[in-house]
Amino acid sequence: MKYIFTLLSIFFSLNLLSQNSELLNELDLVLSNKKEYSLKKEAKLDSLKLEVEKINTLGKGWERYQILLQIADEYARYKFDSAFNYSKQAIDLAYQINNANAIAYTKSKFGHLLVSVGLHKEAIDTLNSVITSHLKNEQLQDYYGYKVRAYYDLADYINDEYYAPSYRKMARSNVDSLLKYKQSETTKPVMTKAIRFLAEYQLDSAAYYYNYTLKNYHTTLHDEAMIHSCLGFINIEQGNTNEGRDHLIKSVIADVQTATKEAISLIVLANYFYNHNDLERAYRYILKAKEDALFFGSKQRLLQVSEVLPKIEGATLLATEKSKEKATRILWVLAVVAFVVIVLLMIVYRQLFDLQKIWAVINNQNKELKQLNTELQEVNKIKEKYIGHFFNTSSTYINKLETISKSLNTVLVSNNTQNLKSILRSISPKKERDQLFHNFDEIFLSLFPSFIEEVDKMLDADKKYTLKPGQILNTELRILAIIRLGIIENETMSQVLGVSINTIYTYKTKAQNRSSLSTELFFERLNQIKSV
């Protein structure tokens, strides 16, 4: 059972991490498209301004007033200077058309605008100057809501033991007034209750009303931004940091989508990531919060940013310095490693260079061995052929000698000189030598079938050999054949061929003169002729 609970806890933890990751990704996506939301806001404002310019004729003051008030509302959370300017125009026009309700309502909204930039005294003076009897019931709900925020914000700003309690007491009395005029379909009464409990640090009660509002009312994106911002604060205060962070993220997303520049959620979220050592996000978010505060023109928000930004910048600089020191240490280590590697590479290169030399020698020796093997194989073939021929020839001559010996014995016994002459006539050294050369030629060409063609390739075109009918090799080719077999001594060749040394030299010279090749190249090419 214990293992099942462990597995379930791991599953829910992983699921929570996945949701957090999705929320952060959504936030970063929304922030990357922040400019587009601002452009939509600007486009809407430009459209309203064009309508104001069109309504310039007398008798249309009310229509002009309504559009000016709408422009002021659009600017209220976007850009203070413009909101201030259009609110003043709307108030002036309300006086011009002498509409008491418009004057009271516009002044109450103007007081609320002043609260957003921290002009608490001016805001309360403006709200107190409103003649409440000129407001409708649904407008009174908003009016008292504005006063609630004004007094609670002033109490938080002063935050002392003397004035702050009295301002909180006045805020509570305005909550009671608001509840007298509450509109059942609106979120204002419920959210005002939540604000009261939050201001009194009754966090559970505040969280209940905020969650109740989300579940039971149709809320705008701006309402959701406010609710999630407060729920984020409550959860973080109660130690539910993950839930608190998620509420803050949702609040920031809603603020960006409504192009709200007067917001605190991004500042709080940046501070959250600072406290949780995610300095990259903290620094990125606080810079965006500063950008919004500068754009909106709120000294109060800039003051809040200035409380968070320095410590984030300091931590970021410290982390950067540590990273630089770490990077420096790593660079030194890498430099040492690189030096060692270079030394090792030089040693290895030297060894490889020596090995290449050795391999070159081995390759040359292998080539020489291959060449020697080829030559040995060729020599073996030649030996096999000519040893076989030697034994055949020797056997033939032994048989002939045996026959002659018997014939001579018979002649000697019979003393028949006529038979002796006949026997001597049957012996022909020239015929035997010609037969020897014929056999030599046949065996040689069986070993070197392309010999004549290869020799002709070395000769000049008009000096190639032409053999007589029935002739296998002539004397010159035979001498070249003997040289190809490795017999180069003129004396040996003269004995084999039965001619003088001068004759051998003459034939060799004639053969060489048939070619334009040098003597060395001629005999080198001759010895390169391959056997079968």
Side-chain angles (χ1 to χ4, degrees):
M1 196 70 178
K2 179 178 72 174
Y3 296 112
I4 293 174
F5 283 123
T6 303
L7 288 172
L8 285 172
S9 65
I10 292 171
F11 170 77
F12 286 121
S13 297
L14 290 173
N15 190 44
L16 183 61
L17 285 173
S18 175
Q19 290 175 349
N20 291 339
S21 177
E22 288 177 8
L23 264 178
L24 282 172
N25 290 337
E26 184 182 355
L27 172 61
D28 288 338
L29 179 63
V30 168
L31 286 172
S32 67
N33 295 324
K34 190 177 178 185
K35 188 176 180 180
E36 294 181 15
Y37 295 112
S38 295
L39 289 173
K40 287 180 181 177
K41 171 72 79 172
E42 294 285 355
K44 185 174 182 180
L45 286 164
D46 289 341
S47 176
L48 290 170
K49 289 174 187 177
L50 284 173
E51 288 187 42
V52 169
E53 290 176 6
K54 290 176 183 177
I55 305 172
N56 247 340
T57 57
L58 293 174
K60 290 192 175 182
W62 177 248
E63 290 87 342
R64 182 177 171 82
Y65 161 78
Q66 288 180 311
I67 298 173
L68 285 172
L69 193 62
Q70 192 176 351
I71 294 173
D73 284 342
E74 290 291 334
Y75 271 122
R77 294 181 294 273
Y78 183 64
K79 197 168 186 179
F80 173 74
D81 289 344
S82 299
F84 184 92
N85 179 46
Y86 280 98
S87 293
K88 291 296 289 180
Q89 289 185 46
I91 292 172
D92 292 342
L93 189 55
Y95 275 108
Q96 288 177 24
I97 61 177
N98 197 26
N99 188 312
N101 174 257
I103 294 168
Y105 182 62
T106 312
K107 286 176 72 175
S108 68
K109 292 179 75 68
F110 184 63
H112 184 241
L113 175 66
L114 296 175
V115 173
S116 66
V117 290
L119 298 173
H120 302 105
K121 181 181 181 303
E122 293 79 0
I124 292 171
D125 288 345
T126 302
L127 289 169
N128 286 336
S129 70
V130 173
I131 301 172
T132 55
S133 61
H134 292 165
L135 292 172
K136 300 174 184 177
N137 282 352
E138 63 271 17
Q139 294 171 341
L140 282 167
Q141 175 184 264
D142 291 338
Y143 169 76
Y144 287 114
Y146 299 151
K147 292 190 78 174
V148 168
R149 180 185 171 185
Y151 280 113
Y152 273 134
D153 279 10
L154 181 57
D156 290 339
Y157 178 74
I158 294 174
N159 197 26
D160 66 348
E161 295 180 358
Y162 184 76
Y163 292 105
S166 63
Y167 290 136
R168 288 194 178 93
K169 183 178 179 182
M170 294 177 74
R172 285 195 296 272
S173 68
N174 280 285
V175 171
D176 295 335
S177 298
L178 181 148
L179 294 175
K180 291 179 184 178
Y181 299 100
K182 67 179 181 180
Q183 303 295 308
S184 58
E185 299 294 326
T186 63
T187 61
K188 180 74 73 174
V190 186
M191 288 180 66
T192 303
K193 286 182 181 180
I195 290 170
R196 181 178 66 185
F197 286 120
L198 183 61
E200 301 298 331
Y201 209 75
Q202 298 179 38
L203 302 183
D204 288 334
S205 298
Y208 168 79
Y209 279 106
Y210 282 126
N211 285 313
Y212 183 85
T213 305
L214 285 174
K215 291 177 183 177
N216 297 284
Y217 286 88
H218 176 72
T219 53
T220 64
L221 270 177
H222 179 62
D223 289 337
E224 290 175 14
M226 292 175 61
I227 293 169
H228 283 300
S229 178
C230 294
L231 285 173
F233 168 78
I234 292 168
N235 277 280
I236 290 172
E237 285 290 300
Q238 292 178 332
N240 302 321
T241 53
N242 287 337
E243 290 182 33
R245 175 198 56 204
D246 291 348
H247 280 298
L248 289 174
I249 291 171
K250 290 175 182 177
S251 176
V252 174
I253 290 171
D255 281 333
V256 175
Q257 289 175 337
T258 54
T260 299
K261 305 294 183 181
E262 186 272 321
I264 195 171
S265 296
L266 196 54
I267 302 171
V268 179
L269 186 62
N271 192 57
Y272 168 88
F273 282 115
Y274 163 76
N275 290 327
H276 288 78
N277 295 318
D278 191 344
L279 297 179
E280 187 275 329
R281 282 188 183 276
Y283 190 62
R284 183 153 45 94
Y285 292 164
I286 197 64
L287 288 181
K288 288 186 181 294
K290 181 182 178 182
E291 179 186 311
D292 286 348
L294 286 170
F295 184 87
F296 180 74
S298 172
K299 293 179 181 179
Q300 183 182 16
R301 290 289 178 256
L302 282 172
L303 183 63
Q304 290 165 335
V305 168
S306 67
E307 291 175 358
V308 179
L309 180 58
K311 62 182 183 181
I312 294 177
E313 283 183 331
T316 303
L317 286 171
L318 183 61
T320 303
E321 288 301 319
K322 287 182 178 179
S323 297
K324 285 181 180 178
E325 290 175 6
K326 186 177 179 181
T328 303
R329 289 196 295 270
I330 291 171
L331 283 174
W332 275 109
V333 172
L334 288 175
V336 172
V337 171
F339 177 75
V340 172
V341 169
I342 289 169
V343 172
L344 291 174
L345 285 174
M346 290 175 67
I347 294 170
V348 171
Y349 177 78
R350 181 65 185 174
Q351 291 176 342
L352 286 174
F353 183 74
D354 293 340
L355 283 173
Q356 284 179 343
K357 283 184 175 180
I358 294 169
W359 278 113
V361 172
I362 291 171
N363 287 333
N364 289 332
Q365 290 178 347
N366 283 336
K367 288 179 182 177
E368 291 175 4
L369 284 173
K370 286 180 182 179
Q371 182 64 29
L372 287 172
N373 283 332
T374 303
E375 292 175 0
L376 283 172
Q377 288 174 0
E378 190 176 81
V379 169
N380 286 334
K381 287 179 185 178
I382 293 169
K383 283 181 178 179
E384 288 174 5
K385 286 281 185 180
Y386 281 103
I387 287 172
H389 173 64
F390 168 77
F391 279 112
N392 288 333
T393 304
S394 298
S395 177
T396 300
Y397 282 122
I398 289 170
N399 290 333
K400 283 184 179 182
L401 286 173
E402 187 178 359
T403 301
I404 292 171
S405 176
K406 289 179 181 179
S407 298
L408 288 174
N409 283 328
T410 303
V411 169
L412 288 173
V413 171
S414 63
N415 197 21
N416 188 345
T417 57
Q418 190 65 34
N419 286 339
L420 180 61
K421 290 179 181 179
S422 176
I423 290 169
L424 291 173
R425 280 196 299 271
S426 67
I427 299 171
S428 175
K430 182 179 182 306
K431 184 178 178 183
E432 294 298 331
R433 189 178 293 279
D434 289 342
Q435 184 61 42
L436 175 67
F437 291 159
H438 181 82
N439 292 340
F440 171 84
D441 295 346
E442 283 185 340
I443 294 170
F444 180 81
L445 289 178
S446 69
L447 290 168
F448 297 90
S450 63
F451 180 76
I452 297 173
E453 295 175 6
E454 295 297 327
V455 170
D456 280 342
K457 289 178 183 178
M458 297 188 296
L459 306 180
D460 296 339
D462 58 342
K463 295 179 180 179
K464 297 184 185 300
Y465 286 106
T466 302
L467 299 174
K468 296 176 182 179
Q471 194 176 33
I472 299 174
L473 295 176
N474 58 24
T475 304
E476 286 183 33
L477 286 171
R478 195 171 293 118
I479 290 171
L480 295 176
I482 291 170
I483 293 170
R484 176 62 188 87
L485 292 174
I487 301 170
I488 58 174
E489 293 82 5
N490 291 338
E491 294 84 353
T492 304
M493 283 189 281
S494 69
Q495 291 173 6
V496 171
L497 297 177
V499 294
S500 66
I501 292 174
N502 288 333
T503 303
I504 295 296
Y505 179 78
T506 302
Y507 276 119
K508 284 172 67 177
T509 304
K510 285 175 65 178
Q512 183 185 339
N513 288 337
R514 289 174 177 270
S515 173
S516 58
L517 299 174
S518 65
T519 302
E520 291 182 4
L521 185 57
F522 179 81
F523 287 108
E524 183 182 339
R525 291 273 295 276
L526 178 67
N527 287 319
Q528 289 176 354
I529 296 174
K530 301 293 182 184
S531 63
V532 292

